[in-house]
Amino acid sequence: MYRKTLLPSGVRIITESMPHVRSATVGIWADVGSACEHSRQRGISHVLEHMLFKGTPRRSAREIAEAIDGVGGSSNAFTDKESTCYYARVIDRHVPLALDVLSDMFLHSSLDPEELSREQRVILEEIRMYEDSPNESIHDLFTRTMWAGSNLGEPTIGSAETVTAMTAGDLRVHLGAHYAADSVVIAAAGNLEHDDFVARCAQAFASFGGKSESTMPETPILTPSVRIQYKDTEQAHVMIGARGLASKDERRYVLALIDTIFGGGMSSRLFQEVREKRGLAYSVYSAQQSYRGAGLFAVSLGTSPQNVQECIDISLEQVRLLTEHGPTDAEIRLAKEHLKGGLTLSLESTSSRMIRLGQQELTFGRQLTPEEIEAAIDRVEREEIVALAGELFGGDRFGLCIIGPVDAAQVRWLDGVAVG
């Protein structure tokens, strides 16, 4: 189902055929994200992502939007800490159009200074939107707290100061350094034919070459601490977390099971204890952040200010119980089926499959089949779960972040005393 072709320039093309659908999703990936940025240019990868939609010599920004909208498709992009992706989802017969529009943006963006000035204002509004959404901004606060002083810990979106200071020349330098043939993956999933798609890619990228500046995956030092940011909101948003695993760590399936058992669904320990038994929160879950050189594991919840301490105590108690006693056999069986079922359901979307293609190529250099992943999940033993939980969560290696109307002096932490 997967086919991969390496163009002479070094561009990688990967497709997954889904002949039973009538759509396809095409994505162009650049192996660069915010983790490679200098502090004075924080957010430049994200700004560049925005600017590639703002016109080329062939198309204006409006014409780029109309080209995909006009055939009933959708286009978008995202920047994370280690990669950037530009993609479009269309009916299968419009794959050539989607590739033409995306490649035109990717290779021939005008990076007009006037457009940049307008888009900087848009991104400032995006920053303000996140600042007004504590359930979003708590994640950036937590990552910055746990990986203080690292590029990986800083927000992908940048700051108002760094974004407004960028020039079109800065964007061209960044693009030239990181958007090169050896760092680009073109991924497509849906009702398409590999050889025809490769031929179109080869034509579109015929003049594209070069080598990108090499960047080693960052492995930041863990800096767990307590950060409480006062904000006049109805709820307090809380994150508690510790070290996780890098994305290529062979124990990633063990951690996936821990995550599922602990806070990954409605039957998880956290959901049952915090929401179902006590009614203390609407949203409560655990999650992983996995990157090539490091990872984090965290509990996230939103609750009334007067319930913050009780939620913290319950979360830490559930960590202790899992670490000291491990999960039950029934929990392990349920978690394994939950993960495998979620994997299968995600495969019904061409967009999800395209993202899997790009992420796995950039992370592993190959495709991990669903069968391979399911077999790895099934092989996990209870002893592995207990050992990894003890390694990651034992001791006092937890950080705490809160955004909301909370008095720091009233919060008791790991040693049982107020933090303020």
Side-chain angles (χ1 to χ4, degrees), residues 46 54-55 103 115 137 164 171 182 208 210 232 252 293 295 326 363 417:
H46 176 251
K54 297 306 167 185
S103 62
E115 288 284 1
S137 55
T164 54
L171 297 181
D182 65 337
F208 184 62
D232 188 13
R252 60 188 178 273
T363 301
V417 301

Side-chain angles (χ1 to χ4, degrees), residues 35-36 81-82 151-152 178 213-220 292-293:
C36 76
K81 295 182 186 294
E82 295 184 321
N151 289 329
L152 206 55
H178 299 289
E213 289 186 4
S214 59
T215 55
M216 293 294 293
E218 190 177 24
T219 306
R292 296 172 206 175

Side-chain angles (χ1 to χ4, degrees), residues 175-239:
L175 187 150
H178 299 289
Y179 282 46
D182 65 337
S183 66
V184 169
V185 171
I186 305 172
N191 190 17
L192 50 81
E193 199 278 320
H194 180 80
D195 291 333
D196 176 70
F197 186 73
V198 168
R200 295 180 184 277
C201 290
Q203 182 178 9
F205 284 78
S207 61
F208 184 62
K211 290 188 177 295
S212 62
E213 289 186 4
S214 59
T215 55
M216 293 294 293
E218 190 177 24
T219 306
I221 297 172
L222 194 71
T223 56
S225 58
V226 177
R227 292 279 298 277
I228 300 179
Q229 181 176 304
Y230 186 89
K231 193 175 185 68
D232 188 13
T233 54
E234 292 296 320
Q235 277 194 322
H237 296 268
V238 181
M239 286 195 77

